Amino acid sequence: MRTVLKFGGSSVADVPKMKEIARKIKARQEQGESIVVVVSAMGKTTSQLLELAQTAAKNPSKREVDMMISTGEQVSIALLAMILNEMGVEAVSFTGFQAGILTGGMHTKTKILDIDITAVEKQLNEGRVVVVAGFQGYNEEGEITTLGRGGSDTTAVALAAKLGCRCEIYTDVPGIYGVDPRLYPKAHQLQEITWEEMKEMAFLGAKVMEPRSVDIAQHYGVEIYVGSAHEDCAGTYIRKAGINVEQRSITGLSVADNILMVTLRNLPEDTAPIASLFTRLAKEEINVDMIAQIPMESGGVGLSFTAQAQDQGMLEEVLKEEMSTLPGVTVELEKNIFKLSVVGSGMRTQSGVAAKVFQLLSENDIRFKQVTTSEISISYTLDQAHKEKAVRIIAEAFEL
Amino acid sequence: MRTVLKFGGSSVADVPKMKEIARKIKARQEQGESIVVVVSAMGKTTSQLLELAQTAAKNPSKREVDMMISTGEQVSIALLAMILNEMGVEAVSFTGFQAGILTGGMHTKTKILDIDITAVEKQLNEGRVVVVAGFQGYNEEGEITTLGRGGSDTTAVALAAKLGCRCEIYTDVPGIYGVDPRLYPKAHQLQEITWEEMKEMAFLGAKVMEPRSVDIAQHYGVEIYVGSAHEDCAGTYIRKAGINVEQRSITGLSVADNILMVTLRNLPEDTAPIASLFTRLAKEEINVDMIAQIPMESGGVGLSFTAQAQDQGMLEEVLKEEMSTLPGVTVELEKNIFKLSVVGSGMRTQSGVAAKVFQLLSENDIRFKQVTTSEISISYTLDQAHKEKAVRIIAEAFEL
């Protein structure tokens, strides 16, 4: 049986931690499994390399950023392979290029286009553990590329898809929870969750898995297991819907902090200024979310949307320029907002989830600012002050 | 005009130093030169990575050591390319693999077999500065390999050989001296030196250039310039013999410290035990040098040779085992020995150099222990206590 195991940066932060995971890999191999291990850079290495790049250039070339940060995983794979070899486990390390991971041409946040699995399969067939550098690949020009945030998960899932096997992601939490336990200590860990639910939760702020890798898993039918790298306890399976999954109305609750909410009032009914605004925001790479528009009594329209707090400076500049030709418009920018989302495939078949949430918030005197819905989720923006209470009452009501 | 510039670890130790060399590269490019830059890892990076490997495994796999230490140059090339780009100089970085540097299969101290210069030439023709990682290449299995000590010089000279251009090596000294200025402060810097003399001096202990890269330069007729990375002053050319060179009887004096001298007496005339001893020493990778054998009055033979102090433990073990079956043999091991060599192509045409050295030593009551000669050098082993004096009297007599 083949398995892809992935260990994140905190699981390979130092040599003693690597020795711990090497022992696990050895035990698995001794049971006859063919093992591919995907590792991230050690601890904070990637951030440190990015800081170094910042000292060299204000706006470092992205090609060169990839050249530099890809060394982080290269050190990890070499160390882990050394440790495995010393334990008597035959192992070889592969960079993204050596593992055949072909990506798009873009730098610092590219996508995997294909994997030529030949070299990895050859080593597996010869009985070796293959240690692959996560997060990195090469483009058609032969340049080193990186996959952006959560890239090592993507490497692991894509390799599992190509090898036709399952993927186990080991991290510093024991599995996926319905609610982040740091927000709601009584949170239940989920035994399983569907790919779709996991993606939605990830999009809406849950940080355990990046939506992109879950997307690949869903597309190729890869079962993912998420568990603790350092504790022996049951984790969570991410796979297609089983019977249990369908019976739940809500699987999880996600929270995204540091949200800005912009409200524009008295906009003309003509959509040109709004189109111009969003085109400009896209050009400046400001991600907007939760766009809502309502007609106003005055005859114009009101528009609100959310953005990330980190983009505040650029956002204010864009708003000032774009609204300068529209004298009647008022611009309001609210900080200290968070987004709370409830996610569940069960929403499709069970009506009343939205109604139940509205009622819970109302009973507890929590006013939400906006609400938007998707097929399997409902998101609210709320004042940061209500965060703890809102999470608790919803988590309790839906037994998350 | 094309030129290969090489900067060592101390010249790229931090970002300010890299910015300094980037300005020089920019100035050269603005004068219309096509520039290839070869850089080493920053400062002590390689040693630090090797220490990290030692914490992972007592005897780390050499394949994985190469995978790990090659990241050092990868960080340097990315940083330097970023800095150049930010200064408005179009530049791309290439790993050893990307620069087409094919090596032998061995790890940690392999040799360059060939360079496919296509990718480097393409970038040069498009007007870019190409920043190449020194010290590294790839073997036929596609594995990352490294070239061992002085490997970045070898990369630079081999690239210059392939590109048919000259090579400038920038380092932390202003050029090549007849005698190491730390040993003899009045030492003269040489304006030029032949490849052959430089190789001989390097073999005999001068640390500025590794003999291997000089060998490549000689074979392909590459002119090397050695100069200071951070001071503007004339350096030294390493090239074929000119008229000036031939007139000197001695070009330089090299010193190698930490030498052990072994003397075996009363060996049988039968050469089998000696052959066995040297075979065993080679197997244990103990480099021996300055082998001398003389017949003894007793009818047997006396044999002496030198080795590196770092090999003392293993050397003693080998001697004990090999001599155990030869009861009459006495083994003497002397420490605190150094080797002093005088080098010069002029020795070929001017007799009397050896005689002059013997006389100088004799006049000053310095006894040498051994003497060996090559076509362009004479080496002596002497007691460490005489080092300063011996260097001074020879340097003064030959105006080095």
Side-chain angles (χ1 to χ4, degrees):
Chain A
M1 194 181 80
R2 288 173 172 176
T3 314
V4 175
L5 310 179
K6 185 257 169 178
F7 295 91
S10 58
S11 311
V12 294
D14 53 38
V15 168
K17 281 189 177 154
M18 283 197 186
K19 287 186 176 171
E20 196 184 323
I21 67 171
R23 281 189 289 271
K24 289 190 188 182
I25 293 163
K26 184 180 178 169
R28 294 286 290 266
Q29 207 214 23
E30 282 170 351
Q31 285 165 25
E33 278 185 72
S34 278
I35 306 282
V36 174
V37 189
V38 174
V39 287
S40 302
M42 295 169 80
K44 306 276 175 209
T45 307
T46 309
S47 318
Q48 285 162 0
L49 287 169
L50 286 169
E51 279 166 30
L52 182 59
Q54 282 299 328
T55 66
K58 270 181 212 150
N59 196 7
S61 143
K62 288 185 173 176
R63 180 193 186 280
E64 303 304 336
V65 167
D66 279 353
M67 176 65 90
M68 190 153 98
I69 60 178
S70 62
T71 62
E73 291 78 32
Q74 199 173 320
V75 170
S76 301
I77 56 173
L79 276 177
L80 184 56
M82 284 173 194
I83 293 168
L84 285 165
N85 284 330
E86 181 126 314
M87 284 183 182
V89 178
E90 274 200 69
V92 282
S93 67
F94 277 175
T95 62
F97 172 80
Q98 290 171 331
I101 297 170
L102 179 69
T103 72
M106 205 181 158
H107 284 286
T108 74
K109 43 183 176 183
T110 192
K111 285 178 179 158
I112 295 177
L113 297 182
D114 197 9
I115 304 183
D116 177 352
I117 212 76
T118 320
V120 171
E121 283 204 308
K122 182 169 179 281
Q123 297 291 339
L124 287 178
N125 293 340
E126 289 172 3
R128 293 194 189 90
V129 169
V130 184
V131 184
V132 177
F135 182 67
Q136 58 177 254
Y138 71 104
N139 65 18
E140 281 181 347
E141 279 78 50
E143 295 171 324
I144 295 174
T145 52
T146 65
L147 304 171
R149 210 177 128 167
S152 292
D153 288 350
T154 309
T155 303
V157 173
L159 278 167
K162 271 281 175 173
L163 290 164
C165 69
R166 74 171 185 165
C167 178
E168 303 180 10
I169 309 252
Y170 290 97
T171 175
D172 49 2
V173 297
I176 312 284
Y177 285 79
V179 194
D180 185 339
R182 283 167 298 188
L183 297 176
Y184 180 62
K186 286 187 284 181
H188 298 302
Q189 190 193 309
L190 300 169
Q191 205 183 329
E192 59 181 345
I193 182 170
T194 68
W195 293 306
E196 218 163 17
E197 289 170 329
M198 187 69 244
K199 259 197 304 188
E200 195 82 7
M201 281 183 67
F203 267 123
L204 296 170
K207 291 187 185 70
V208 181
M209 290 287 295
E210 279 291 300
R212 209 157 44 127
S213 51
V214 185
D215 218 19
I216 297 170
Q218 182 175 20
H219 190 258
Y220 291 96
V222 175
E223 182 178 299
I224 302 177
Y225 171 85
V226 177
S228 165
H230 302 289
E231 280 171 60
D232 268 329
C233 53
T236 302
Y237 289 92
I238 310 174
R239 54 192 173 197
K240 71 177 165 204
I243 291 162
N244 289 338
V245 171
E246 290 293 340
Q247 285 178 336
R248 294 190 301 235
S249 56
I250 289 186
T251 304
L253 179 160
S254 293
V255 165
D257 290 312
N258 300 317
I259 302 290
L260 289 178
M261 196 174 101
V262 176
T263 307
L264 305 174
R265 294 195 185 81
N266 304 319
L267 280 165
E269 283 182 60
D270 174 14
T271 56
I274 299 174
S276 167
L277 171 64
F278 285 115
T279 306
R280 180 72 196 285
L281 290 170
K283 205 184 131 211
E284 302 295 346
E285 294 186 10
I286 297 172
N287 287 320
V288 299
D289 188 20
M290 297 191 69
I291 302 167
Q293 187 183 316
I294 47 162
M296 295 189 69
E297 285 171 30
S298 59
V301 298
L303 175 79
S304 73
F305 60 88
T306 57
Q308 302 292 310
Q310 70 201 37
D311 293 327
Q312 187 178 345
M314 182 57 81
L315 179 63
E316 284 177 332
E317 204 174 295
V318 171
L319 285 169
K320 199 174 158 190
E321 284 178 34
E322 290 288 326
M323 294 304 125
S324 62
T325 53
L326 303 167
V329 175
T330 64
V331 178
E332 191 185 342
L333 195 141
E334 284 185 81
K335 292 188 268 187
N336 300 318
I337 304 287
F338 78 104
K339 182 172 74 175
L340 183 154
S341 307
V342 292
V343 178
S345 305
M347 282 188 196
R348 277 180 205 151
T349 51
Q350 299 191 10
S351 59
V353 170
K356 188 169 172 184
V357 176
F358 284 130
Q359 200 185 340
L360 284 166
L361 294 176
S362 156
E363 279 170 10
N364 289 277
D365 282 327
I366 300 172
R367 284 192 210 155
F368 55 87
K369 291 170 182 291
Q370 289 173 292
V371 59
T372 56
T373 57
S374 86
E375 204 182 336
I376 63 162
S377 71
I378 309 171
S379 296
Y380 304 83
T381 44
L382 300 155
D383 201 284
Q384 196 81 32
H386 298 309
K387 183 166 141 182
E388 197 196 342
K389 189 174 179 188
V391 169
R392 181 171 44 77
I393 60 169
I394 294 172
E396 279 170 0
F398 289 95
E399 295 174 7
L400 297 178
Chain B
M1 196 181 81
R2 289 173 172 174
T3 315
V4 175
L5 309 179
K6 183 259 170 178
F7 295 92
S10 58
S11 312
V12 294
D14 53 37
V15 168
K17 281 189 176 153
M18 283 196 187
K19 288 186 175 170
E20 196 184 322
I21 66 171
R23 281 190 289 271
K24 289 188 188 188
I25 293 163
K26 185 180 178 170
R28 295 286 290 264
Q29 208 215 18
E30 282 169 353
Q31 285 166 23
E33 279 185 72
S34 278
I35 306 279
V36 174
V37 190
V38 174
V39 286
S40 303
M42 296 168 79
K44 307 273 175 212
T45 307
T46 308
S47 318
Q48 285 162 0
L49 288 168
L50 285 170
E51 278 167 29
L52 181 59
Q54 283 298 330
T55 66
K58 269 181 214 151
N59 195 8
S61 144
K62 287 185 174 176
R63 179 193 186 281
E64 303 304 337
V65 167
D66 279 352
M67 175 67 90
M68 190 152 99
I69 61 177
S70 62
T71 63
E73 290 80 32
Q74 200 173 320
V75 170
S76 301
I77 56 172
L79 276 176
L80 184 55
M82 284 173 194
I83 292 168
L84 285 165
N85 285 330
E86 181 124 313
M87 285 184 182
V89 178
E90 275 199 70
V92 283
S93 67
F94 276 175
T95 62
F97 172 78
Q98 291 171 331
I101 298 169
L102 179 69
T103 73
M106 205 181 159
H107 285 286
T108 75
K109 42 183 175 184
T110 191
K111 284 178 180 157
I112 295 177
L113 297 183
D114 197 9
I115 304 183
D116 178 350
I117 212 78
T118 320
V120 171
E121 284 205 307
K122 183 168 178 283
Q123 297 292 338
L124 287 179
N125 293 339
E126 290 172 3
R128 292 193 190 90
V129 170
V130 185
V131 185
V132 178
F135 181 69
Q136 58 177 256
Y138 70 104
N139 65 19
E140 281 182 344
E141 279 79 49
E143 296 171 324
I144 295 173
T145 52
T146 65
L147 303 172
R149 210 176 129 172
S152 293
D153 288 350
T154 309
T155 303
V157 173
L159 278 167
K162 271 282 173 176
L163 290 164
C165 69
R166 75 172 186 164
C167 178
E168 302 180 10
I169 308 251
Y170 290 97
T171 173
D172 49 4
V173 297
I176 311 285
Y177 284 79
V179 193
D180 186 336
R182 283 168 298 189
L183 296 176
Y184 179 62
K186 288 187 281 178
H188 298 301
Q189 190 193 308
L190 301 169
Q191 205 184 328
E192 59 180 344
I193 181 171
T194 68
W195 294 307
E196 219 163 19
E197 288 171 330
M198 187 70 246
K199 256 195 310 187
E200 195 82 7
M201 280 183 67
F203 267 123
L204 295 171
K207 293 188 184 71
V208 181
M209 291 287 297
E210 278 292 301
R212 209 158 43 128
S213 50
V214 185
D215 217 19
I216 297 171
Q218 182 174 20
H219 190 259
Y220 291 95
V222 175
E223 181 177 298
I224 302 176
Y225 171 86
V226 177
S228 165
H230 302 291
E231 280 170 63
D232 267 327
C233 54
T236 303
Y237 290 92
I238 309 173
R239 54 192 174 197
K240 71 177 164 205
I243 291 164
N244 289 338
V245 171
E246 291 292 341
Q247 284 178 335
R248 292 191 301 235
S249 56
I250 289 187
T251 303
L253 179 160
S254 293
V255 165
D257 289 312
N258 300 318
I259 303 289
L260 289 177
M261 195 175 101
V262 176
T263 307
L264 305 174
R265 294 195 185 84
N266 303 319
L267 280 163
E269 283 181 61
D270 175 14
T271 57
I274 298 174
S276 166
L277 171 64
F278 285 114
T279 306
R280 179 71 196 287
L281 289 170
K283 204 182 133 212
E284 303 295 347
E285 294 184 11
I286 297 172
N287 287 320
V288 298
D289 189 19
M290 296 190 69
I291 303 168
Q293 189 183 316
I294 46 162
M296 295 188 71
E297 285 170 31
S298 60
V301 297
L303 174 80
S304 73
F305 60 88
T306 57
Q308 302 293 310
Q310 70 201 35
D311 293 327
Q312 186 179 346
M314 182 56 82
L315 179 63
E316 285 177 331
E317 205 174 295
V318 171
L319 285 169
K320 198 172 159 190
E321 284 178 32
E322 291 288 324
M323 296 302 124
S324 62
T325 53
L326 302 167
V329 175
T330 64
V331 178
E332 191 185 341
L333 195 141
E334 283 184 82
K335 292 189 269 189
N336 300 318
I337 303 288
F338 79 103
K339 181 173 73 176
L340 184 154
S341 308
V342 291
V343 178
S345 304
M347 281 189 198
R348 278 181 203 149
T349 50
Q350 301 193 7
S351 59
V353 170
K356 187 168 171 185
V357 176
F358 285 129
Q359 200 186 339
L360 284 166
L361 294 176
S362 157
E363 279 170 11
N364 288 278
D365 283 328
I366 301 172
R367 283 191 210 155
F368 55 87
K369 293 172 183 288
Q370 288 172 293
V371 58
T372 58
T373 58
S374 86
E375 203 183 335
I376 63 162
S377 70
I378 311 173
S379 297
Y380 303 83
T381 44
L382 300 156
D383 201 285
Q384 196 80 33
H386 299 308
K387 183 166 143 183
E388 200 195 340
K389 190 174 178 188
V391 168
R392 182 170 45 76
I393 59 168
I394 294 171
E396 279 170 2
F398 289 95
E399 294 174 9
L400 296 178

